[in-house]
Amino acid sequence: MSTKTYAGIPQKYAALETSKIVLIPVPYDGTSTWQKGADKGPEAFLDASENMELYDIETQTEVYKQGVFLADAITENSSPEAVVSEVHKITKDYIKRNKFVTIFGGEHSISIGTIRAFNECFDNLTVLHIDAHADLRKDFHGSTCNHACAVYEASQTTNLVQVGIRSMDIAETRVMDEEKVFFAHDMAKDEYWMDKVVEALGENVFITFDLDAFDPSILPSTGTPEPGGLFWYETLDFLKQVFEERNVVGFDIVELCPNENERASDFVAAKLYYKMLTYKFAGTEEGDEYESNFNETKKGVSKFNTEEDEY
């Protein structure tokens, strides 16, 4: 990847020491099962970001001035398990530096590592999973680190809330908590779905956003597009509400599968990332210190419980 700074921002806003935000690219596509190319997603995303206006009209802010450090890409690809392990390690290292850590994939199996890192650092973590697919298989094609297993571990160790689901295997119905799954066909008829999702979230929220959550009419360049997805402004309205009402501790975006004949998807991904940063830091002044509130003493992972019982 030739990009020296995220979105071509000046170096003074791109140094690790002074940046509040870290962006980790993970160009990996080892387990996808239909259209290949998600390993090229980070480069396409970064290229589109360089061609994006950095003034946000809605909030009248320039969030890049909070500082965005572009980390070295994670290039481990020897096995799905090795990739997850490396993503977990590097993500956790940056969280412990008191940074707002973001990750751009790559296919969705990388989120096993990102979620594991955040769950080890933040108390009572909620994972907000925005996706067309349930991704709840315990293992697939001989591995527990497959893209089809992206949030299985999260279902066992965190408060998993799923939004936009419209494709799944029958076996996944035995794993999912249907009270915390918002299916696309129900969302289309429920004007209060956003409020209901936010009510299901805990205070600390990690967002994993699979770009196939979008309707293919606005983002066709993804590995497994599904009809009936989210549209741009409803997605922004929803994300803005989540960021305003909960403590979003980090996020990843995955499954951009770039097509040289269709560059709009790259730009949608770039704008989505920038809008999410904007909502996180809205109202924050350039010189304000960022406190991630991670728990340095938290050990391992535990099953989220909404009751007061001990784990």
Side-chain angles (χ1 to χ4, degrees), residues 41 44-45 48-49 52 104 211 214 218-219 232 253 256 263-276:
F45 156 76
S49 299
M52 178 180 65
F104 197 97
L211 291 166
F214 281 122
I218 67 165
L219 199 147
W232 182 247
I253 298 175
L256 177 64
R263 304 300 299 277
S265 293
D266 307 349
F267 207 80
V268 170
K271 290 285 282 190
L272 174 70
Y273 177 83
Y274 200 68
K275 290 297 286 189
M276 291 174 75

Side-chain angles (χ1 to χ4, degrees), residues 22 36 72 117:
V22 168
K36 292 287 187 178
D72 291 337

Side-chain angles (χ1 to χ4, degrees), residues 6-304:
Y6 162 71
I9 62 177
Q11 188 62 47
K12 75 173 189 174
Y13 297 116
L16 175 60
E17 295 75 17
T18 55
S19 293
K20 297 174 186 174
I21 301 151
V22 168
L23 166 59
I24 307 171
V26 188
Y28 175 69
D29 191 19
T31 75
S32 59
T33 48
W34 188 28
Q35 299 183 91
K36 292 287 187 178
D39 56 320
K40 299 177 177 61
E43 186 173 4
F45 156 76
L46 289 168
D47 181 63
S49 299
E50 285 196 42
N51 294 282
M52 178 180 65
E53 300 285 5
L54 297 177
Y55 173 72
D56 182 70
I57 298 172
E58 178 188 4
T59 60
Q60 300 178 23
T61 63
E62 295 172 293
V63 71
Y64 76 90
K65 291 183 177 178
Q66 303 292 333
V68 184
F69 173 71
L70 178 59
D72 291 337
I74 296 176
T75 56
E76 170 65 58
N77 64 3
S78 60
S79 71
E81 292 75 19
V83 174
V84 166
S85 178
E86 188 72 0
V87 170
H88 164 253
K89 175 183 177 296
I90 292 175
T91 300
K92 191 170 181 178
D93 285 347
Y94 281 117
I95 294 171
K96 289 190 169 185
R97 289 173 180 246
N98 195 40
K99 303 297 182 180
F100 184 75
V101 182
T102 64
I103 302 92
F104 197 97
E107 42 105 322
H108 212 164
S109 65
I110 70 164
S111 298
I112 300 169
T114 63
I115 293 168
R116 190 178 295 169
F118 278 90
N119 196 31
E120 289 174 356
C121 292
F122 291 91
D123 294 322
N124 293 346
L125 186 71
T126 290
V127 172
L128 173 56
H129 173 219
I130 305 172
D131 199 332
H133 306 90
D135 289 349
L136 284 170
R137 288 175 169 90
K138 186 175 182 179
D139 59 81
F140 194 62
H141 289 184
S143 175
T144 59
C145 295
N146 188 282
H147 73 103
C149 314
V151 294
Y152 173 80
E153 183 176 302
S155 75
Q156 304 301 300
T157 62
T158 76
N159 177 36
L160 177 65
V161 179
Q162 301 182 276
V163 172
I165 308 303
R166 53 195 190 276
S167 179
M168 62 186 293
D169 186 82
I170 191 169
E172 294 172 280
T173 62
R174 295 189 285 273
V175 177
M176 72 171 28
D177 180 351
E178 291 198 19
E179 292 185 1
K180 295 181 180 179
V181 179
F182 295 81
F183 293 104
H185 68 277
D186 292 326
M187 291 162 55
K189 298 177 287 186
D190 185 355
E191 61 179 308
Y192 301 109
W193 71 264
M194 297 183 194
D195 294 332
K196 292 175 181 177
V197 173
V198 173
E199 287 175 6
L201 305 176
E203 180 57 28
N204 292 326
V205 177
F206 175 81
I207 301 173
T208 180
F209 196 116
D210 187 324
L211 291 166
D212 64 30
F214 281 122
D215 192 80
S217 63
I218 67 165
L219 199 147
S221 294
T222 186
T224 48
E226 290 278 349
L230 293 165
F231 293 101
W232 182 247
Y233 283 109
E234 69 174 330
T235 301
L236 294 189
D237 286 346
F238 171 55
L239 289 171
K240 186 177 182 180
Q241 185 174 350
V242 172
F243 277 94
E244 287 179 345
E245 298 188 26
R246 296 294 186 267
N247 177 36
V248 176
V249 298
F251 63 82
D252 67 31
I253 298 175
V254 298
E255 299 279 0
L256 177 64
C257 187
N259 177 349
E260 62 181 14
N261 298 315
E262 192 282 300
R263 304 300 299 277
S265 293
D266 307 349
F267 207 80
V268 170
K271 290 285 282 190
L272 174 70
Y273 177 83
Y274 200 68
K275 290 297 286 189
M276 291 174 75
L277 292 186
T278 297
Y279 292 150
K280 173 62 183 179
F281 290 94
T284 304
E285 296 298 327
E286 188 177 325
D288 292 350
E289 195 166 329
Y290 173 66
E291 291 293 339
S292 68
N293 298 320
F294 74 92
N295 185 346
E296 293 187 80
T297 63
K298 192 171 189 289
K299 303 289 186 182
V301 296
S302 56
K303 176 65 179 175
F304 184 92

